[in-house]
PDB file of all heavy atoms in Angstrom:
ATOM      1  N   LEU A 323      57.087 124.070 132.327  1.00 95.00           N
ATOM      2  CA  LEU A 323      58.371 124.588 132.860  1.00 95.00           C
ATOM      3  C   LEU A 323      58.145 125.457 134.092  1.00 95.00           C
ATOM      4  O   LEU A 323      58.907 125.424 135.042  1.00 95.00           O
ATOM      5  CB  LEU A 323      59.060 125.383 131.777  1.00 95.00           C
ATOM      6  CG  LEU A 323      59.602 124.556 130.596  1.00 95.00           C
ATOM      7  CD1 LEU A 323      60.170 125.456 129.513  1.00 95.00           C
ATOM      8  CD2 LEU A 323      60.645 123.550 131.044  1.00 95.00           C
ATOM      9  N   ARG A 324      57.057 126.234 134.074  1.00 93.00           N
ATOM     10  CA  ARG A 324      56.770 127.062 135.278  1.00 93.00           C
ATOM     11  C   ARG A 324      56.465 126.238 136.525  1.00 93.00           C
ATOM     12  O   ARG A 324      56.630 126.682 137.651  1.00 93.00           O
ATOM     13  CB  ARG A 324      55.662 128.048 134.974  1.00 93.00           C
ATOM     14  CG  ARG A 324      56.019 129.113 133.991  1.00 93.00           C
ATOM     15  CD  ARG A 324      54.988 130.221 133.921  1.00 93.00           C
ATOM     16  NE  ARG A 324      53.721 129.765 133.407  1.00 93.00           N
ATOM     17  CZ  ARG A 324      53.381 129.682 132.097  1.00 93.00           C
ATOM     18  NH1 ARG A 324      54.264 130.073 131.152  1.00 93.00           N
ATOM     19  NH2 ARG A 324      52.191 129.254 131.730  1.00 93.00           N
ATOM     20  N   GLY A 325      56.009 125.024 136.272  1.00 92.00           N
ATOM     21  CA  GLY A 325      55.765 124.110 137.405  1.00 92.00           C
ATOM     22  C   GLY A 325      57.020 123.787 138.189  1.00 92.00           C
ATOM     23  O   GLY A 325      56.962 123.316 139.366  1.00 92.00           O
ATOM     24  N   HIS A 326      58.185 123.984 137.569  1.00 91.00           N
ATOM     25  CA  HIS A 326      59.504 123.704 138.223  1.00 91.00           C
ATOM     26  C   HIS A 326      60.029 124.998 138.877  1.00 91.00           C
ATOM     27  O   HIS A 326      61.125 124.939 139.480  1.00 91.00           O
ATOM     28  CB  HIS A 326      60.486 123.167 137.212  1.00 91.00           C
ATOM     29  CG  HIS A 326      60.064 121.847 136.646  1.00 91.00           C
ATOM     30  ND1 HIS A 326      60.117 120.651 137.351  1.00 91.00           N
ATOM     31  CD2 HIS A 326      59.575 121.552 135.403  1.00 91.00           C
ATOM     32  CE1 HIS A 326      59.681 119.685 136.575  1.00 91.00           C
ATOM     33  NE2 HIS A 326      59.362 120.172 135.384  1.00 91.00           N
ATOM     34  N   MET A 327      59.364 126.097 138.722  1.00 91.00           N
ATOM     35  CA  MET A 327      59.886 127.386 139.246  1.00 91.00           C
ATOM     36  C   MET A 327      59.210 127.624 140.603  1.00 91.00           C
ATOM     37  O   MET A 327      58.134 128.263 140.648  1.00 91.00           O
ATOM     38  CB  MET A 327      59.619 128.497 138.247  1.00 91.00           C
ATOM     39  CG  MET A 327      60.255 128.247 136.880  1.00 91.00           C
ATOM     40  SD  MET A 327      59.801 129.539 135.681  1.00 91.00           S
ATOM     41  CE  MET A 327      60.371 128.741 134.167  1.00 91.00           C
ATOM     42  N   THR A 328      59.788 127.160 141.676  1.00 88.00           N
ATOM     43  CA  THR A 328      59.150 127.211 142.984  1.00 88.00           C
ATOM     44  C   THR A 328      58.832 128.644 143.403  1.00 88.00           C
ATOM     45  O   THR A 328      57.866 128.884 144.126  1.00 88.00           O
ATOM     46  CB  THR A 328      60.063 126.558 144.025  1.00 88.00           C
ATOM     47  OG1 THR A 328      61.331 127.173 143.993  1.00 88.00           O
ATOM     48  CG2 THR A 328      60.187 125.064 143.722  1.00 88.00           C
ATOM     49  N   TRP A 329      59.667 129.622 142.994  1.00 85.00           N
ATOM     50  CA  TRP A 329      59.418 130.986 143.429  1.00 85.00           C
ATOM     51  C   TRP A 329      58.086 131.509 142.868  1.00 85.00           C
ATOM     52  O   TRP A 329      57.452 132.367 143.486  1.00 85.00           O
ATOM     53  CB  TRP A 329      60.597 131.899 143.010  1.00 85.00           C
ATOM     54  CG  TRP A 329      60.785 132.051 141.538  1.00 85.00           C
ATOM     55  CD1 TRP A 329      60.266 132.981 140.720  1.00 85.00           C
ATOM     56  CD2 TRP A 329      61.571 131.158 140.688  1.00 85.00           C
ATOM     57  NE1 TRP A 329      60.663 132.797 139.426  1.00 85.00           N
ATOM     58  CE2 TRP A 329      61.478 131.694 139.363  1.00 85.00           C
ATOM     59  CE3 TRP A 329      62.349 130.048 140.926  1.00 85.00           C
ATOM     60  CZ2 TRP A 329      62.125 131.109 138.282  1.00 85.00           C
ATOM     61  CZ3 TRP A 329      63.014 129.471 139.822  1.00 85.00           C
ATOM     62  CH2 TRP A 329      62.904 129.969 138.548  1.00 85.00           C
ATOM     63  N   LEU A 330      57.682 131.042 141.686  1.00 84.00           N
ATOM     64  CA  LEU A 330      56.400 131.470 141.134  1.00 84.00           C
ATOM     65  C   LEU A 330      55.210 130.915 141.969  1.00 84.00           C
ATOM     66  O   LEU A 330      54.254 131.592 142.158  1.00 84.00           O
ATOM     67  CB  LEU A 330      56.270 131.004 139.701  1.00 84.00           C
ATOM     68  CG  LEU A 330      57.223 131.625 138.656  1.00 84.00           C
ATOM     69  CD1 LEU A 330      56.961 131.063 137.294  1.00 84.00           C
ATOM     70  CD2 LEU A 330      57.090 133.160 138.668  1.00 84.00           C
ATOM     71  N   GLN A 331      55.367 129.683 142.423  1.00 77.00           N
ATOM     72  CA  GLN A 331      54.303 129.105 143.272  1.00 77.00           C
ATOM     73  C   GLN A 331      54.206 129.886 144.578  1.00 77.00           C
ATOM     74  O   GLN A 331      53.118 130.123 145.098  1.00 77.00           O
ATOM     75  CB  GLN A 331      54.595 127.631 143.539  1.00 77.00           C
ATOM     76  CG  GLN A 331      55.129 126.819 142.358  1.00 77.00           C
ATOM     77  CD  GLN A 331      54.323 127.023 141.092  1.00 77.00           C
ATOM     78  OE1 GLN A 331      53.089 127.022 141.130  1.00 77.00           O
ATOM     79  NE2 GLN A 331      54.985 127.153 139.941  1.00 77.00           N
ATOM     80  N   GLU A 332      55.353 130.246 145.129  1.00 70.00           N
ATOM     81  CA  GLU A 332      55.362 131.044 146.375  1.00 70.00           C
ATOM     82  C   GLU A 332      54.727 132.389 146.186  1.00 70.00           C
ATOM     83  O   GLU A 332      53.948 132.850 147.018  1.00 70.00           O
ATOM     84  CB  GLU A 332      56.790 131.182 146.912  1.00 70.00           C
ATOM     85  CG  GLU A 332      57.409 129.855 147.375  1.00 70.00           C
ATOM     86  CD  GLU A 332      58.910 129.986 147.640  1.00 70.00           C
ATOM     87  OE1 GLU A 332      59.445 131.081 147.451  1.00 70.00           O
ATOM     88  OE2 GLU A 332      59.502 128.943 148.034  1.00 70.00           O
ATOM     89  N   ASP A 333      55.045 133.029 145.058  1.00 62.00           N
ATOM     90  CA  ASP A 333      54.448 134.337 144.742  1.00 62.00           C
ATOM     91  C   ASP A 333      52.937 134.227 144.615  1.00 62.00           C
ATOM     92  O   ASP A 333      52.173 135.113 145.078  1.00 62.00           O
ATOM     93  CB  ASP A 333      55.013 134.929 143.464  1.00 62.00           C
ATOM     94  CG  ASP A 333      56.461 135.369 143.641  1.00 62.00           C
ATOM     95  OD1 ASP A 333      56.907 135.464 144.783  1.00 62.00           O
ATOM     96  OD2 ASP A 333      57.142 135.619 142.623  1.00 62.00           O
ATOM     97  N   ALA A 334      52.460 133.150 143.969  1.00 58.00           N
ATOM     98  CA  ALA A 334      51.023 132.957 143.781  1.00 58.00           C
ATOM     99  C   ALA A 334      50.313 132.734 145.133  1.00 58.00           C
ATOM    100  O   ALA A 334      49.229 133.286 145.352  1.00 58.00           O
ATOM    101  CB  ALA A 334      50.786 131.740 142.853  1.00 58.00           C
ATOM    102  N   ARG A 335      50.956 131.988 146.024  1.00 60.00           N
ATOM    103  CA  ARG A 335      50.337 131.750 147.341  1.00 60.00           C
ATOM    104  C   ARG A 335      50.276 133.034 148.130  1.00 60.00           C
ATOM    105  O   ARG A 335      49.278 133.319 148.790  1.00 60.00           O
ATOM    106  CB  ARG A 335      51.141 130.708 148.098  1.00 60.00           C
ATOM    107  CG  ARG A 335      50.880 129.254 147.642  1.00 60.00           C
ATOM    108  CD  ARG A 335      51.416 128.260 148.661  1.00 60.00           C
ATOM    109  NE  ARG A 335      52.882 128.310 148.739  1.00 60.00           N
ATOM    110  CZ  ARG A 335      53.706 127.614 147.991  1.00 60.00           C
ATOM    111  NH1 ARG A 335      53.227 126.778 147.022  1.00 60.00           N
ATOM    112  NH2 ARG A 335      55.000 127.716 148.114  1.00 60.00           N
ATOM    113  N   THR A 336      51.325 133.865 148.077  1.00 58.00           N
ATOM    114  CA  THR A 336      51.361 135.148 148.771  1.00 58.00           C
ATOM    115  C   THR A 336      50.301 136.035 148.248  1.00 58.00           C
ATOM    116  O   THR A 336      49.566 136.715 149.030  1.00 58.00           O
ATOM    117  CB  THR A 336      52.726 135.841 148.624  1.00 58.00           C
ATOM    118  OG1 THR A 336      53.755 134.933 149.167  1.00 58.00           O
ATOM    119  CG2 THR A 336      52.760 137.141 149.335  1.00 58.00           C
ATOM    120  N   ALA A 337      50.122 136.101 146.928  1.00 57.00           N
ATOM    121  CA  ALA A 337      49.107 136.977 146.329  1.00 57.00           C
ATOM    122  C   ALA A 337      47.708 136.520 146.738  1.00 57.00           C
ATOM    123  O   ALA A 337      46.818 137.347 147.021  1.00 57.00           O
ATOM    124  CB  ALA A 337      49.240 136.950 144.809  1.00 57.00           C
ATOM    125  N   ALA A 338      47.475 135.233 146.817  1.00 51.00           N
ATOM    126  CA  ALA A 338      46.185 134.688 147.194  1.00 51.00           C
ATOM    127  C   ALA A 338      45.843 135.016 148.639  1.00 51.00           C
ATOM    128  O   ALA A 338      44.741 135.365 149.010  1.00 51.00           O
ATOM    129  CB  ALA A 338      46.109 133.172 146.994  1.00 51.00           C
TER     130      ALA A 338
END
Side-chain angles (χ1 to χ4, degrees):
L323 292 174
R324 290 191 296 272
H326 298 287
M327 301 176 194
T328 55
W329 64 92
L330 293 180
Q331 319 310 318
E332 292 169 359
D333 289 347
R335 284 194 295 271
T336 299

